[in-house]
Amino acid sequence: MNHLTDPIRTLIEEKYGLNTTIQPLQEEASTRRYFSILNGDHGSKYVLCLDQTINQDFILLSEFLIKNQIRVPRVIYQNEQLNITIQSWEGSKDFNSLSLKEYKGRLPTVLNLILKLQTLEPPSFVASRKFDTEKLMFEINLTIEKFLLMAKRFDLDTQLSNEASSFLEESARYLNQHPVNVFTHRDFHSRNLLLNDEGTFTLIDFQDARMGVPQYDLASIIYDAYYPLPRDFRKEMIDFFQKKTIGGDKKFKETFYLQALQRSFKALGTYFRMIVDQNNDKFKPSVITCLEQLEEIIQIGMFSDSLYIFIRSLRNEFARHPEFKSPSNL
């Protein structure tokens, strides 16, 4: 999956000419791989997506979101035999590339994009899937599974108590019972917001959208381990969002921090998986950042002491480990 086959290269040359270059784009924590396609004769540029199979939900949601005036990549071509799609070029930089000052200035616009998504009447295949207890617990248990592999690989002493596990399960049940559910992107972080040539944002990686609490995508961007934010600014943006969102009067803060806990714990499992399953060390700094954010979430939410002890102990062990280091403070 990491490499382009000769049939794919031949197809690209037939479509765009021999004077075409194909370059890999930034690798993410998924099976998908992206490449830029540049036609040297005409200067036209596209994105090639290579996956295990073509994700039809991405294609359908692309059409749905474009129809609802949400900027996303347009699917120009698909080939099910080669498992590729060719998409419109939407820029080489993402929201993650901005300075803190620029990021803070543009985050309200990003939050307004989440708010707009929440007003959409989702297509049936999105409306039929939800962040219910089963889905939330699947993500929690996957993190626990990968933690055990990390503990073995890096000789960790930290253990997850039964009390901490029970609190995570209770959190999932609480979120499942929330009275308001809206369209959620599911992976709304800074690297999934491209800065297009028109100076606006293009939303990507939306194929797994499902119904969830209004705080879900907010938690993803506010506690984004790829771009940690100052604590006071986080609070300011949470208040900004609460005043505008659907269900902002229904135990908003309590639900937000429980969702942030589950979402960040799930993200931690993703970083663990990339390290132990894919041997991808570039996610090690994100582990430290994610654990730091989980500490903050647990403290502000006044959650289980046993869970705080687990997260704090794990962060301390990784911080002392020679193979891990924390990214520079922003």
Side-chain angles (χ1 to χ4, degrees):
M1 287 303 301
N2 291 325
H3 305 287
L4 295 176
T5 62
D6 288 339
I8 294 176
R9 292 184 181 278
T10 299
L11 183 146
I12 298 302
E13 290 176 355
E14 290 176 352
K15 287 183 66 66
Y16 298 108
L18 295 175
N19 190 20
T20 297
T21 57
I22 307 174
Q23 297 292 333
L25 297 173
Q26 179 169 282
E27 181 182 349
E28 294 296 340
S30 72
T31 60
R32 291 177 296 280
R33 295 294 175 261
Y34 295 93
F35 303 82
S36 64
I37 301 173
L38 176 62
N39 183 303
D41 295 325
H42 305 101
S44 54
K45 203 167 186 178
Y46 307 93
V47 170
L48 170 68
C49 176
L50 171 62
D51 206 344
Q52 295 173 335
T53 59
I54 289 182
N55 192 308
Q56 293 299 326
D57 286 358
F58 177 88
I59 295 172
L60 293 172
L61 275 170
S62 175
E63 296 170 352
F64 169 78
L65 292 170
I66 290 171
K67 182 179 178 180
N68 284 278
Q69 290 78 52
I70 304 290
R71 179 78 177 255
V72 299
R74 291 177 293 105
V75 178
I76 299 168
Y77 172 83
Q78 58 178 304
N79 187 307
E80 293 186 0
Q81 291 181 322
L82 298 176
N83 295 326
I84 64 170
T85 59
I86 296 177
Q87 306 166 15
S88 60
W89 175 258
E90 297 292 333
S92 59
K93 294 185 178 182
D94 55 39
F95 196 30
N96 184 267
S97 68
L98 297 182
S99 68
L100 179 59
K101 181 178 180 180
E102 294 173 310
Y103 192 106
K104 290 170 71 174
R106 301 193 68 174
L107 188 56
T109 300
V110 169
L111 299 189
N112 281 330
L113 174 56
I114 297 176
L115 292 164
K116 184 173 182 178
L117 289 172
Q118 294 183 353
T119 66
L120 302 181
E121 188 68 32
S124 58
F125 66 92
V126 174
S128 65
R129 58 195 188 197
K130 178 192 172 187
F131 277 111
D132 55 17
T133 302
E134 181 180 1
K135 174 63 174 176
L136 295 170
M137 283 306 302
F138 171 81
E139 296 179 342
I140 288 169
N141 289 330
L142 187 62
T143 296
I144 295 172
E145 174 189 331
K146 299 307 176 184
F147 158 69
L148 294 174
L149 294 176
M150 289 285 289
K152 183 176 180 180
R153 175 168 172 178
F154 295 103
D155 195 25
L156 304 176
D157 293 325
T158 299
Q159 296 183 0
L160 181 67
S161 69
N162 291 335
E163 182 183 350
S165 296
S166 296
F167 184 84
L168 290 168
E169 183 172 355
E170 290 171 10
S171 299
R173 295 187 186 283
Y174 174 91
L175 293 168
N176 179 51
Q177 295 169 2
H178 194 273
V180 180
N181 278 265
V182 296
F183 182 105
T184 62
H185 176 279
R186 185 211 55 95
D187 206 15
F188 200 99
H189 59 71
S190 57
R191 291 185 180 177
N192 282 336
L193 290 159
L194 298 181
L195 301 170
N196 57 52
D197 294 338
E198 296 179 13
T200 59
F201 293 107
T202 297
L203 186 63
I204 63 173
D205 201 19
F206 43 77
Q207 61 278 343
D208 294 322
R210 61 178 55 227
M211 305 304 288
V213 301
Q215 293 89 334
Y216 191 94
D217 286 340
L218 176 66
S220 299
I221 192 72
I222 292 296
Y223 284 105
D224 180 0
Y226 294 132
Y227 206 110
L229 296 170
R231 183 166 175 168
D232 289 345
F233 182 66
R234 283 193 185 121
K235 291 182 178 179
E236 179 184 339
M237 291 297 97
I238 293 167
D239 289 340
F240 169 87
F241 191 90
Q242 181 180 2
K243 294 173 182 176
K244 296 186 173 187
T245 189
I246 301 169
D249 59 339
K250 299 183 184 299
K251 296 186 176 180
F252 181 87
K253 294 284 177 63
E254 178 180 353
T255 303
F256 171 78
Y257 284 107
L258 283 170
Q259 183 61 82
L261 172 66
Q262 188 278 333
R263 163 68 193 176
S264 294
F265 196 75
K266 179 260 183 186
L268 184 65
T270 299
Y271 307 141
F272 286 167
R273 176 176 61 82
M274 293 304 295
I275 294 168
V276 296
D277 292 351
Q278 305 294 327
N279 293 313
N280 194 329
D281 290 343
K282 84 170 193 174
F283 289 91
K284 286 179 178 177
S286 295
V287 167
I288 301 291
T289 300
C290 191
L291 288 168
E292 291 172 346
Q293 293 181 346
L294 278 164
E295 278 191 48
E296 178 183 307
I297 292 165
I298 294 168
Q299 287 178 316
I300 296 176
M302 295 184 290
F303 299 148
S304 166
D305 289 341
S306 59
L307 187 59
Y308 178 82
I309 291 169
F310 167 74
I311 295 297
R312 182 60 180 262
S313 174
L314 193 56
R315 182 175 71 83
N316 287 340
E317 281 205 85
F318 282 131
R320 292 192 300 266
H321 201 284
E323 293 189 40
F324 287 77
K325 63 178 181 179
S326 178
S328 302
N329 292 329
L330 297 173

